Amino acid sequence: MITGAHSIIYSRKPEADRAFLRDVLRLPYVDAGEGWLIFGLPPADLAVHPSRKNDLHEFYFICEDAKAFVGAMAKRQIRCSPVQNMGWGLLTRVSLPGGGTLGVYQPRHARPKGARRRPRPHALPETTFRKAR
């Protein structure tokens, strides 16, 4: 039923943040036209937290070693917040060129195996669709 997820980062300087994702984090991407880059992401997981409001969502990158990530960013003169031990993981925030930040954390909780991608069913011939209408 679900084949993937599409996340959005809103930015005052989207071109700069796209360049950061492409050139610094080296995420794979496609150009959907006119420089509108769509990035591929590594495996992901999703959690639902309690809240007094609906429609609040957060996005974090996951890394294997938060301190090594901060060190790698420092070598490129990219600021990160100090690594915090949150219990569930080690968390930092990396500064984006557009003025925002992205959470990056090293999980200490169990992680699920990624959903297996199911093969797409073969498309029915166009005549079948016409007959079904």
Side-chain angles (χ1 to χ4, degrees):
M1 185 183 314
I2 300 297
T3 61
H6 182 82
S7 301
I8 299 171
I9 296 172
Y10 290 95
S11 173
R12 292 183 180 179
K13 297 179 182 177
E15 295 83 9
D17 288 345
R18 289 179 192 135
F20 176 83
L21 296 172
R22 180 191 65 216
D23 301 336
V24 176
L25 297 185
R26 297 183 179 160
L27 294 177
Y29 65 92
V30 295
D31 188 326
E34 300 178 21
W36 198 276
L37 305 183
I38 305 294
F39 294 93
L41 294 175
D45 51 44
L46 174 69
V48 179
H49 291 233
S51 174
R52 293 178 188 242
K53 293 183 178 182
N54 281 329
D55 297 326
L56 299 174
H57 314 289
E58 294 185 47
F59 178 82
Y60 294 89
F61 278 119
I62 297 172
C63 67
E64 290 185 20
D65 185 329
K67 291 179 183 176
F69 175 82
V70 170
M73 294 297 104
K75 288 179 183 176
R76 298 188 75 146
Q77 286 81 45
I78 298 168
R79 287 190 344 230
C80 292
S81 67
V83 175
Q84 298 177 325
N85 184 343
M86 306 300 289
W88 44 262
L90 300 176
L91 174 67
T92 185
R93 296 196 73 79
V94 62
S95 296
L96 296 175
T101 63
L102 274 178
V104 178
Y105 82 100
Q106 174 186 336
R108 290 192 167 163
H109 56 77
R111 296 206 48 227
K113 290 185 179 182
R116 288 194 179 126
R117 186 172 180 173
R118 294 184 183 140
R120 293 179 101 184
H122 294 287
L124 297 173
E126 183 64 28
T127 54
T128 305
F129 287 110
R130 287 187 185 136
K131 289 178 184 176
R133 291 182 188 163

